Structures are given as structure tokens and as C-alpha cells.
Amino acid sequence: MAANVLEEDSMEQDIESPVTIHQPKLPKQAREDLPKNISKECAKRKIQRYVRKDGKCNVHHGNVRETYRYLTDIFTTLVDLKWRFNLLIFVMVYTVTWLFFGMIWWLIAYMRGDMDHIGDSTWTPCVSNLNGFVSAFLFSIETETTIGYGYRVITDKCPEGIILLLVQSVLGSIVNAFMVGCMFVKISQPKKRAETLVFSTNAVISMRDGKLCLMFRVGDLRNSHIVEASIRAKLIKSKQTKEGEFIPLNQTDINVGYYTGDDRLFLVSPLIISHEINQQSPFWEISKAQLPKEELEIVVILEGMVEATGNISYTL
């Protein structure tokens, strides 16, 4: 009987003995618990953002001495200006050119004596029906914009007027091409397309397939797709090197599937973007208790081609 009892006890112990499961090596976020007595100051602490919620970088350039470099690329400078300044420059350029050539037309008429022979049918003026600066200004607008009402016309007895007509026509075409091209590029910028690309409000750190992952969701609200969409992520955090050098706002790449191809998105339905926190991850040495105290920022960059226009769209 004793032997039987011992055998039954041993069998029960074998049955009830827990199965040993080898857990994967996890970073400090999963191994340390977050203390409950976090100070309110740490919880309410506001960090100045590197990239704002609207996608604009919160960076202001100061102490720029070589400002002439902006003028060497005047087209890009005009495109980068705000709409109110762009429209102001657009109106001012046309108004100044019309006034400038209108003044020259009036000077030609004045120097030839056309103003002294107004109403004289025997006198052939440089420009018919030009009787003052206002009419010269109107003729300048008609010439540069090629309106051609037919009331004021240049005659063949004024060679200097013919030369001025050629000069104004060529310069007017250049001004039109430059300003209209600038406005077209500014209008066609796909910045508003980014308004319909939405990200999840919060990113979460959780276990997924036995691995600790940082995850967030991205989706497109429009029916027109983003062609060849790809996603990247950067960790913005100050760093001190082993030599003692302090690097503010250091950028570290966060792998969101570069080696597996998961960073190439087919953005038809909302997708979950995952970053595995392994030994190559910049979050590996940050503990769960230390994470709320860290001054860091994650910038996600979604890049793709707008199907409707073919323009490249960047979303931050």
C-alpha cells in the first residue's frame, strides 16, 4: 500500500508540476513596474515640440547673415512665402510694371509734342487717343495683357514706340510666366492632401507575437489612394557621446519594417505600424519608470504620390 501511495503521489506531482516556458528577453519597460507615486509636475510637464500637430516644424532660423542666398533662388523663396505676402507681391509686380511702362509711354508722347496737338486731325501721334498719364497707364495695361480694345493704338510714325512695344511685350510675357508659374506651384502643393491622412491620437507599447512593440495606426480618409506610400520614424532626443560632446535634438532612426518591407504601405484601410523594441531599438535601455521622465519626441514621416495630381506628399 505504501508503495502504491508513493507512486500515486509522484504521478500527481508530475501532472500538477508547472510547465517551464522560456520567456523572450525583454527590455526594461517590461521588466520594471512603473511607480505609482509619480509627481504631478512630471505628469503635467510640457515639452516643447520639434514638430507641431499640424506637421510644421517648430524651428526658427536666427542670426542668418547670408540673406542674399534667398534672393539667388527667388522662385523657391516666393513659393515658400505665406499666401498674404505672395498675393501682395503678385499684385505689386504687375502694378509696378504697368506704371513703369505707362510712365514711359506718357514721356514719349510728351517729348514728341502729342499733348500739344490733342484734337488736331493733321497731327499723327505716337499713340492715338492718348491724352494724359491715365490713358497712357491704360494703354500700358492693354499692351502687357494683350487685351487690345482697339481705341488706343500705336501708329507707324513712332519708331521709339514700336521698340518700347516689343520690349514691353517680351518683359510682360516673362513676368506672366514667372508669376503665374509661382502661383500655380503654390496652389498645386499637396499640403492639404495631408489633412486627410490621420494618425492615432496615442501610440502604445504592448506585447505582439511574444515581442514588445511600439504601435500606432495610420489611415487615409479619401477614396483616391496614396501611390507608393512609405513610412519612416525618427526619435528626436538630445544625446551625449562617450567623448562628452552634447548633441541637441539628435535624430535616431526607428525601424518600422525597413528590412522586411513593412514600411511600404498599401494604404487602402487603416494600418497598424509596429516597431519591435529589441537590442537595436533606441528604447531598449529606457525603463518603464524612466519613460515618462524622458524628453523625447517621435516624428513619423509618411511619403507617397497623390493619385489625382501625381505630386509627392509628405505628412509629419
Side-chain angles (χ1 to χ4, degrees):
M1 291 293 294
N4 294 334
V5 172
L6 290 175
E7 289 179 359
E8 291 178 1
D9 291 341
S10 62
M11 291 176 62
E12 290 179 358
Q13 290 178 359
D14 293 338
I15 294 174
E16 296 178 358
S17 60
V19 179
T20 304
I21 300 176
H22 296 283
Q23 296 290 342
K25 186 178 180 180
L26 299 179
K28 292 183 179 180
Q29 287 99 327
R31 299 197 306 265
E32 295 184 9
D33 295 330
L34 183 66
K36 299 181 180 180
N37 55 349
I38 300 178
S39 62
K40 295 183 179 179
E41 295 180 358
C42 182
K44 297 181 179 180
R45 179 169 53 92
K46 293 183 178 181
I47 301 175
Q48 188 175 6
R49 297 183 61 91
Y50 186 71
V51 178
R52 297 199 297 263
K53 288 290 187 179
D54 56 0
K56 295 181 180 179
C57 295
N58 193 19
V59 178
H60 301 279
H61 297 281
N63 196 21
V64 180
R65 298 180 181 179
E66 298 179 349
T67 55
Y68 67 90
R69 295 183 180 270
Y70 294 103
L71 299 178
T72 57
D73 189 11
I74 187 65
F75 187 83
T76 306
T77 301
L78 291 176
V79 172
D80 290 340
L81 287 177
K82 295 182 179 179
W83 267 108
R84 53 180 177 269
F85 299 116
N86 206 288
L87 292 175
L88 178 62
I89 293 175
F90 187 85
V91 173
M92 290 297 297
V93 167
Y94 278 106
T95 304
V96 169
T97 54
W98 294 338
L99 287 172
F100 175 75
F101 284 104
M103 178 65 70
I104 296 179
W105 284 114
W106 179 81
L107 287 174
I108 291 176
Y110 179 80
M111 294 177 64
R112 293 183 77 257
D114 294 343
M115 300 301 175
D116 299 331
H117 298 83
I118 297 176
D120 188 357
S121 59
T122 60
W123 180 263
T124 303
C126 182
V127 180
S128 301
N129 301 312
L130 194 150
N131 51 20
F133 177 74
V134 176
S135 59
F137 176 68
L138 293 175
F139 180 73
S140 175
I141 297 176
E142 296 169 10
T143 301
E144 188 167 333
T145 57
T146 65
I147 293 176
Y149 289 118
Y151 182 70
R152 299 179 184 86
V153 293
I154 188 172
T155 62
D156 56 354
K157 303 298 182 181
C158 182
E160 61 271 22
I162 296 175
I163 296 174
L164 180 61
L165 179 65
L166 295 174
V167 173
Q168 186 174 5
S169 298
V170 173
L171 291 181
S173 299
I174 295 175
V175 171
N176 289 335
F178 187 84
M179 298 306 300
V180 174
C182 177
M183 295 297 292
F184 175 77
V185 171
K186 191 168 183 64
I187 291 173
S188 61
Q189 284 182 329
K191 292 183 178 180
K192 294 301 180 181
R193 181 63 176 88
E195 297 294 332
T196 54
L197 296 172
V198 293
F199 293 84
S200 54
T201 305
N202 299 314
V204 298
I205 297 177
S206 178
M207 298 296 297
R208 195 180 198 189
D209 294 332
K211 300 175 183 179
L212 193 66
C213 298
L214 170 68
M215 294 176 288
F216 59 91
R217 181 175 290 182
V218 60
D220 190 3
L221 301 180
R222 288 189 180 273
N223 293 327
S224 59
H225 305 316
I226 298 294
V227 183
E228 296 182 358
S230 62
I231 193 167
R232 294 178 293 146
K234 292 286 185 179
L235 175 66
I236 310 297
K237 181 185 176 183
S238 300
K239 174 185 177 182
Q240 188 169 6
T241 63
K242 297 179 180 179
E243 294 78 13
E245 178 186 2
F246 179 75
I247 305 176
L249 301 177
N250 181 62
Q251 299 183 12
T252 306
D253 187 67
I254 299 177
N255 185 15
V256 289
Y258 177 78
Y259 298 104
T260 59
D262 292 338
D263 61 330
R264 312 294 294 183
L265 307 180
F266 182 50
L267 201 58
V268 178
S269 60
L271 300 176
I272 297 178
I273 310 301
S274 176
H275 163 67
E276 180 184 348
I277 303 178
N278 51 27
Q279 293 183 355
Q280 287 75 36
S281 172
F283 300 102
W284 179 260
E285 295 297 332
I286 303 177
S287 66
K288 190 175 183 180
Q290 185 182 358
L291 187 61
K293 303 176 183 179
E294 287 288 334
E295 294 186 1
L296 54 86
E297 182 175 349
I298 300 174
V299 179
V300 180
I301 306 168
L302 178 62
E303 176 185 356
M305 184 182 299
V306 181
E307 184 184 26
T309 61
N311 295 323
I312 302 298
S313 175
Y314 293 91
T315 306
L316 300 179

